[in-house]
Amino acid sequence: MTINTNDLRVVGFVGPILAGVFTIVRLFERFRRRQFGVDDAWAVLSLTVLIIFEVALFLHIGNPARLSQMSRVAMYYIMAQGFYAIIWPARMSILYSVVRFTPQASNLKKILYYFAVSFLVLWCILFAQIFWVCEPIHAWKDSLTPQCPLTSDVAIAQLISERIFLIAAPLRLLWHLEVPRAQRNRLIVVFAASICTTAASLVHAIYILRTGGVPVLFAAVIEQCVSLLVCNLAVIAGLMVRLGDSRKRSLGVTGRQSILQGRTRAINVIDGGAGDRDDFKARAADMESGTQLKILRVVEVHTESDSFSHKDDTQVISLSTEPMQ
């Protein structure tokens, strides 16, 4: 399938919107619970750079006559470096999500910080690689839509860094991390979902090696959007679990109230004749003239609930009069 500029526009519009919505929901939830942390700050950085990347992308694939040649080259560099400035903060956000769950006195916390430093070093290497690969080549800067012909070294470096993040780090972290099962399961889901970024990274590397041009940008947009989505997955999953538990508790309370407060209905009052209310009132009025009433009522009570079968209970009381002593 041939990927053209229109395909790139669609992906460049839809993908960032989805990633942005997930990130905003994540930040709202963290601010609401007063739990904003370093992992959230990395997610904010990733989203901010994604917005800048999108502006540069649409300027790059738009009308070239609107920009000078130097500006068009600058737009390419913003996209090339912005790509790394999106995916690596997203990975740092995942890493610091694990740091958040790790006990302060644990030795694992030091290992996590070593991983964080290694991620930053890899980011710096990939950042510098763009310049030492592209700057010696001048021909690409003169084209109408400048795009550096990236070499196999760039693709290999991306794949190696991807393997470090998705294989070495998760195995080491999750094996030694002592957290509740629910939190561990959410982290496992996040690292498992990172397989999607691996697939996007492989496609991106293939396009770098074989085709170049618009398909490389297309794969880059998909990879960075998936990376941002995945880094928010742990928080979104936790939110969904809490909403589900809250709904179950609400339904449970409602069910118990329905059982304890079953609808009771008085059907009939019988005394000498069914429904003789005037006679009943007259007898009750005799209490004021020295007569004490003993009232006998026939009451049919129906108790209904959603969980139990109907139950009828009938109580009989006699009605008579006695002079008051």
Side-chain angles (χ1 to χ4, degrees), residues 51-63:
I51 295 172
I52 298 172
F53 179 95
E54 286 298 301
V55 173
L57 174 65
F58 281 94
L59 288 174
H60 179 75
I61 63 179
N63 187 359

Side-chain angles (χ1 to χ4, degrees), residues 267-284 295-297 319:
I267 302 300
N268 198 6
V269 177
I270 301 177
D271 176 36
D276 193 355
R277 297 182 180 179
D278 293 336
D279 184 60
F280 183 83
K281 290 180 180 179
R283 292 172 183 265
I295 301 174
L296 182 52
R297 305 171 65 187
L319 176 63

Side-chain angles (χ1 to χ4, degrees), residues 73 76-77 80-81 126-141 146-151 154:
V73 172
Y76 171 76
Y77 274 124
Q81 300 297 358
L126 295 171
F127 182 93
Q129 187 185 39
I130 293 292
F131 289 110
W132 80 56
V133 169
C134 296
E135 279 303 303
I137 307 171
H138 299 285
W140 67 272
K141 296 181 182 180
Q147 187 169 344
C148 175
L150 300 176
T151 63
V154 176

Side-chain angles (χ1 to χ4, degrees), residues 4-200:
N4 54 38
T5 305
N6 291 330
D7 298 328
L8 179 58
R9 285 193 177 94
V10 172
V11 171
F13 180 77
V14 176
I17 288 178
L18 292 176
V21 168
F22 269 61
T23 308
I24 291 171
V25 171
R26 173 221 182 104
L27 296 176
F28 175 79
E29 175 67 7
R30 284 294 172 82
F31 276 118
R32 186 181 69 84
R33 296 171 62 86
R34 298 181 180 179
Q35 293 180 345
F36 188 87
V38 178
D39 54 335
D40 304 302
W42 282 112
V44 170
L45 176 60
S46 184
L47 178 61
T48 303
V49 179
L50 178 60
I51 295 172
I52 298 172
F53 179 95
E54 286 298 301
V55 173
L57 174 65
F58 281 94
L59 288 174
H60 179 75
I61 63 179
N63 187 359
R66 296 179 180 178
L67 300 174
S68 65
Q69 190 66 27
M70 184 176 295
S71 297
R72 293 198 292 271
V73 172
M75 289 302 104
Y76 171 76
Y77 274 124
I78 290 174
M79 290 188 297
Q81 300 297 358
F83 169 75
Y84 293 126
I86 295 168
I87 63 172
W88 282 104
R91 293 169 181 175
M92 292 290 286
S93 177
I94 295 175
L95 184 66
Y96 273 91
S97 294
V98 182
V99 172
R100 180 192 287 267
F101 299 143
T102 306
Q104 189 65 35
S106 174
N107 291 329
L108 179 59
K109 216 173 191 67
K110 295 180 181 179
I111 299 174
L112 294 172
Y113 289 132
Y114 290 144
F115 271 113
V117 173
S118 67
F119 285 3
L120 292 175
V121 171
L122 287 171
W123 181 6
C124 292
I125 292 173
L126 295 171
F127 182 93
Q129 187 185 39
I130 293 292
F131 289 110
W132 80 56
V133 169
C134 296
E135 279 303 303
I137 307 171
H138 299 285
W140 67 272
K141 296 181 182 180
D142 298 327
S143 63
L144 196 59
T145 54
Q147 187 169 344
C148 175
L150 300 176
T151 63
S152 59
D153 295 339
V154 176
I156 293 171
Q158 289 184 12
L159 291 175
I160 291 175
S161 64
E162 191 81 20
R163 298 294 80 69
I164 292 174
F165 172 71
L166 291 175
I167 297 176
L171 290 177
R172 177 68 176 174
L173 298 179
L174 296 178
W175 185 264
H176 297 281
L177 187 61
E178 296 180 0
V179 295
R181 178 176 296 180
Q183 293 178 346
R184 181 186 293 272
N185 290 341
R186 289 203 297 270
L187 291 175
I188 291 174
V189 168
V190 170
F191 283 112
S194 297
I195 296 174
C196 297
T197 65
T198 301

